[in-house]
Amino acid sequence: MHSFEELSRDFAAHFQQAHFPDQPQSLYAPADYFLSLGGKRVRPVCALMGNELFDTINPDTWQVATAIELFHNFTLIHDDIMDKAPLRRGMETVHIKYGEPTALLAGDVMLVVAYDYLNKVKSEHFHRIIRLFNNTAKQVCEGQQIDMDFEKSEHVGMDAYLNMIELKTSVLLAASLKMGAILGGAGEGNQQHIYQFGRNLGIAFQVQDDYLDCFGDPEKFGKQVGGDILANKKTFLLIKALESCNESHTQELKELMRSADPGKVEKVLSIYRQCGVDDWARQLKEKYINDALYHLDEIAVVSKRKEPLRLLAEFLVKREY
Amino acid sequence: MHSFEELSRDFAAHFQQAHFPDQPQSLYAPADYFLSLGGKRVRPVCALMGNELFDTINPDTWQVATAIELFHNFTLIHDDIMDKAPLRRGMETVHIKYGEPTALLAGDVMLVVAYDYLNKVKSEHFHRIIRLFNNTAKQVCEGQQIDMDFEKSEHVGMDAYLNMIELKTSVLLAASLKMGAILGGAGEGNQQHIYQFGRNLGIAFQVQDDYLDCFGDPEKFGKQVGGDILANKKTFLLIKALESCNESHTQELKELMRSADPGKVEKVLSIYRQCGVDDWARQLKEKYINDALYHLDEIAVVSKRKEPLRLLAEFLVKREY
């Protein structure tokens, strides 16, 4: 049994290998560049932890974890194109540095290489792993499309938003844990519980992300508070406020969204506080954490084995930065 | 044994199935739209023919053929974005009709669905098929990148151009035939010969495409002659002319490429004729056809079984339209 930190270090070392051919450099250097920007590698480490919950790590799980991380990076490269994002982790995005056509292709080839790693899986569960991987990949694409649809739509309901977050963010976390669990020999029931653990944890994480952007301590959060508000981004808090505040607050919110008022962030936060959206968000996060922990509890292995995942859950959703 | 036309009809019927979920429509309708534009479906039919050369069609080959056609369409959707192409088969491209972000995602999800079909393959050769599919997919991406690099580069040599054409165009034809052959139970030697048959045929096809754009009968060719010349596109003929014409012709060609001379097409064609580039292209095509047919001859099955592939080769490279 290893902690998240230990597996994270091991995975980082493992992931250092060359993933692409040398030539043509004009295609593969951009792909390597993006991977060199780093990241927390949470999803592949979840695959390793999902495996270790049940058994020592199956060599196949390293392949699957590598495929998951490449898939995740493929989605980031393409999302950055779609969102016209100039920066990722403080560095130029691939399309800014190398142009959109090359960024598009570098993403494509990264997805193909992810399948190269999956193809190395020797387990009898091979087809099941690919099926889960593919279904998850489709869901992530669907989530991104729905997110883009939301940008253009005036009204987005809470259920629709939650569904989008689930697709875009939490299914990959859930599936990573489940793929590890499958390769660790977990039975059907345990597979479902670990998937639900990841799914709920992913949503709690996003609720927290939205909350900290509004009410986080800027010192600990590491970025300016109110970024989502300035970008008029739909978040759990905004959608809840628009659904539950009284009419005068709702009107004021809508006007603020159209304005360039220099006090916009403070005014929106004040409405959120008056409507109790801050309390609501904290409770919502607690609900999803509790749901996640319920499913972790239900997994039929000795408690001691669950400790690393419990600590990970705490780490992910109790952070203030 | 079936002819290309028969298998083409069968594949078209088979490919009519729904490939995507219904929702979200905003993602899947664009993917369906692109498939509805049709196409000759040459590559999947080659997989079926590659199989039938050796044995009756393995049900797996239908899955692989479907995956190949989806992969091919994924590359077309993304190529259209990169090339900023407004039309495909006379209809709006996906990015024009639905916007670039959605076209990008529709391509992505189409590639994932291609792997869904591959994942249905039950054959013991499963891993080998995926490996060949992935290697080919990477080569096609490499070819597209090199093609884009060429657009920006002043001088492109014949070997480099040939390598690009091979990657961008002919490896997928070759691999389609070989995947079918593998599933039809072909031995190693036969697999290599059918691959080389497809590779050479693909190059011959491209040489002919470049030739017809210059010297085709516009009535039969169905589009105006000289399109490549007007677009200053690098082709077998242009590269050969720049390499082999005398200095005054080479200079004139370079000047014509920079000009908007209304007689540009006629003048370039005249240089091509004076340098004998037209004869050279016909001979080059013959060379690749002969190489293709040599490899077809070498395949160790009775001649009668090879007849559909021989007819296909004739059809593909003897067309004048």
Side-chain angles (χ1 to χ4, degrees):
Chain A
M1 299 294 295
H2 300 87
S3 68
F4 178 81
E5 290 72 21
E6 288 166 327
L7 289 173
S8 189
R9 212 180 40 224
D10 291 351
F11 181 77
H14 179 86
F15 197 65
Q16 277 296 329
Q17 63 187 296
H19 300 291
F20 308 105
D22 281 342
Q23 296 296 330
Q25 273 241 337
S26 51
L27 176 61
Y28 294 119
D32 277 325
Y33 164 76
F34 192 75
L35 296 182
S36 77
L37 300 183
K40 292 188 294 295
R41 317 297 190 202
V42 173
R43 295 155 193 83
V45 175
C46 278
L48 297 169
M49 294 178 83
N51 181 155
E52 258 204 338
L53 180 60
F54 300 98
D55 202 348
T56 53
I57 293 178
N58 182 332
D60 284 344
T61 306
W62 289 99
Q63 311 289 2
V64 170
T66 304
I68 289 168
E69 186 60 16
L70 288 172
F71 170 79
H72 177 58
N73 280 273
F74 142 77
T75 65
L76 296 180
I77 293 174
H78 280 190
D79 283 3
D80 285 343
I81 298 175
M82 292 182 248
D83 301 343
K84 300 195 178 301
L87 296 175
R88 166 75 60 182
R89 297 179 187 125
M91 301 286 282
E92 280 184 319
T93 46
V94 181
H95 64 101
I96 293 290
K97 194 172 164 77
Y98 298 97
E100 282 195 25
T102 294
L104 205 169
L105 267 180
D108 290 348
V109 89
M110 199 175 278
L111 178 57
V112 172
V113 173
Y115 283 101
D116 272 346
Y117 285 100
L118 289 178
N119 196 36
K120 292 179 184 169
V121 169
K122 294 189 178 67
S123 156
E124 52 176 344
H125 302 302
F126 181 82
H127 286 290
R128 178 189 300 220
I129 295 283
I130 302 261
R131 199 157 58 235
L132 176 55
F133 186 93
N134 285 2
N135 285 340
T136 306
K138 277 180 274 181
Q139 288 176 312
V140 172
C141 291
E142 292 168 7
Q144 170 69 5
Q145 180 63 46
I146 296 170
D147 194 15
M148 296 191 302
D149 294 343
F150 284 176
E151 275 174 35
K152 294 178 214 144
S153 90
E154 184 88 352
H155 175 74
V156 173
M158 185 58 79
D159 288 348
Y161 181 74
L162 195 58
N163 174 52
M164 183 277 287
I165 288 300
E166 205 177 314
L167 294 171
K168 194 174 166 177
T169 307
S170 72
V171 292
L172 185 56
L173 196 73
S176 299
L177 287 159
K178 184 172 171 179
M179 286 188 244
I182 292 170
L183 292 169
E188 278 293 338
N190 285 341
Q191 286 174 31
Q192 282 173 30
H193 283 304
I194 198 161
Y195 187 89
Q196 291 303 331
F197 165 74
R199 192 182 69 86
N200 284 289
L201 187 63
I203 299 172
F205 183 81
Q206 187 63 47
V207 174
Q208 157 139 314
D209 214 53
D210 288 0
Y211 176 84
L212 289 178
D213 192 84
C214 287
F215 300 107
D217 178 341
E219 295 266 315
K220 295 184 188 168
F221 191 45
K223 53 182 176 181
Q224 212 196 330
V225 154
D228 290 347
I229 293 172
L230 289 171
N232 289 326
K233 194 169 171 288
K234 289 180 179 84
T235 63
F236 276 105
L237 289 84
L238 177 62
I239 289 166
K240 178 66 181 175
L242 290 171
E243 278 189 2
S244 67
C245 293
N246 64 35
E247 204 170 313
S248 85
H249 279 147
T250 312
Q251 272 313 318
E252 203 185 332
L253 259 181
K254 286 182 179 168
E255 277 159 32
L256 281 166
M257 285 174 71
R258 282 188 289 267
S259 83
D261 185 332
K264 180 171 172 174
V265 171
E266 260 322 307
K267 286 177 185 167
V268 170
L269 291 182
S270 160
I271 296 173
Y272 284 176
R273 282 196 198 90
Q274 289 173 65
C275 304
V277 165
D278 50 348
D279 284 339
W280 169 84
R282 280 194 301 272
Q283 283 163 23
L284 188 69
K285 186 183 90 169
E286 283 306 314
K287 174 201 167 312
Y288 282 108
I289 295 174
N290 289 338
D291 287 355
L293 293 176
Y294 161 77
H295 286 288
L296 187 61
D297 278 345
E298 288 291 302
I299 295 172
V301 300
V302 291
S303 290
K304 210 180 58 182
R305 298 196 80 90
K306 301 178 186 174
E307 207 45 32
L309 282 172
R310 196 183 310 273
L311 289 170
L312 173 67
E314 268 177 31
F315 168 75
L316 283 180
V317 295
K318 296 213 166 143
R319 72 192 170 100
E320 285 171 37
Y321 49 88
Chain B
M1 299 293 296
H2 300 87
S3 67
F4 178 82
E5 290 71 23
E6 289 166 327
L7 289 172
S8 188
R9 213 180 40 226
D10 291 352
F11 180 78
H14 180 86
F15 197 66
Q16 277 296 329
Q17 63 186 296
H19 301 290
F20 308 105
D22 280 343
Q23 296 296 331
Q25 273 240 336
S26 52
L27 176 62
Y28 293 118
D32 278 324
Y33 164 76
F34 192 75
L35 296 182
S36 77
L37 300 184
K40 292 188 296 294
R41 317 296 191 203
V42 173
R43 295 155 194 83
V45 175
C46 277
L48 297 169
M49 294 177 83
N51 181 155
E52 258 203 338
L53 180 60
F54 300 97
D55 202 348
T56 54
I57 294 177
N58 182 331
D60 284 343
T61 307
W62 289 99
Q63 310 290 2
V64 170
T66 305
I68 289 169
E69 186 60 17
L70 289 171
F71 169 78
H72 178 58
N73 280 272
F74 141 77
T75 65
L76 296 180
I77 293 173
H78 280 190
D79 284 3
D80 285 344
I81 298 174
M82 292 181 246
D83 301 343
K84 300 197 178 300
L87 296 175
R88 166 75 61 183
R89 297 177 186 127
M91 301 285 282
E92 280 184 319
T93 46
V94 180
H95 63 102
I96 294 290
K97 195 172 164 79
Y98 298 98
E100 282 196 25
T102 294
L104 204 169
L105 267 180
D108 290 347
V109 88
M110 199 174 280
L111 178 57
V112 172
V113 173
Y115 283 101
D116 272 346
Y117 285 100
L118 289 178
N119 195 37
K120 292 178 183 169
V121 169
K122 294 188 178 67
S123 157
E124 51 177 344
H125 301 302
F126 181 82
H127 286 290
R128 178 189 301 220
I129 295 282
I130 302 261
R131 198 157 58 236
L132 176 54
F133 187 94
N134 285 2
N135 285 340
T136 307
K138 277 179 273 179
Q139 289 176 313
V140 172
C141 291
E142 292 168 8
Q144 170 69 5
Q145 180 63 46
I146 295 171
D147 195 14
M148 295 191 303
D149 294 342
F150 283 177
E151 275 173 36
K152 294 178 215 143
S153 90
E154 184 89 351
H155 175 75
V156 174
M158 185 58 77
D159 288 349
Y161 181 74
L162 196 59
N163 174 53
M164 182 277 285
I165 289 300
E166 206 177 313
L167 294 171
K168 193 174 167 177
T169 308
S170 72
V171 293
L172 185 56
L173 197 73
S176 299
L177 287 158
K178 184 172 171 178
M179 287 188 242
I182 292 170
L183 292 168
E188 277 293 339
N190 285 341
Q191 287 175 30
Q192 282 173 29
H193 283 302
I194 199 162
Y195 187 90
Q196 291 304 332
F197 165 74
R199 192 182 68 86
N200 283 289
L201 187 63
I203 299 171
F205 182 81
Q206 188 62 47
V207 174
Q208 156 139 313
D209 215 54
D210 288 359
Y211 176 85
L212 289 178
D213 193 84
C214 288
F215 301 108
D217 178 341
E219 294 266 313
K220 295 184 187 166
F221 190 46
K223 54 182 175 182
Q224 215 196 327
V225 154
D228 290 346
I229 294 172
L230 289 170
N232 289 325
K233 194 168 169 288
K234 290 183 179 80
T235 64
F236 276 105
L237 288 84
L238 177 62
I239 288 166
K240 178 65 181 175
L242 289 171
E243 279 190 359
S244 66
C245 292
N246 64 35
E247 204 171 314
S248 85
H249 278 146
T250 313
Q251 273 313 318
E252 204 185 328
L253 259 181
K254 286 182 179 167
E255 276 157 33
L256 281 165
M257 285 175 70
R258 282 188 289 268
S259 83
D261 185 333
K264 179 171 172 174
V265 171
E266 262 321 307
K267 286 178 185 168
V268 170
L269 291 182
S270 161
I271 296 173
Y272 284 176
R273 281 196 199 91
Q274 289 173 64
C275 304
V277 165
D278 49 348
D279 285 339
W280 169 85
R282 281 194 300 271
Q283 284 163 21
L284 188 69
K285 186 183 89 169
E286 283 307 312
K287 176 202 166 311
Y288 283 108
I289 296 173
N290 289 338
D291 286 356
L293 293 176
Y294 161 77
H295 286 287
L296 187 61
D297 277 346
E298 288 292 302
I299 294 171
V301 301
V302 291
S303 290
K304 211 180 59 183
R305 297 196 82 89
K306 300 177 186 175
E307 207 45 31
L309 282 171
R310 196 183 309 273
L311 289 170
L312 173 66
E314 269 178 30
F315 168 75
L316 283 180
V317 295
K318 297 214 165 140
R319 71 192 171 101
E320 287 172 36
Y321 49 86

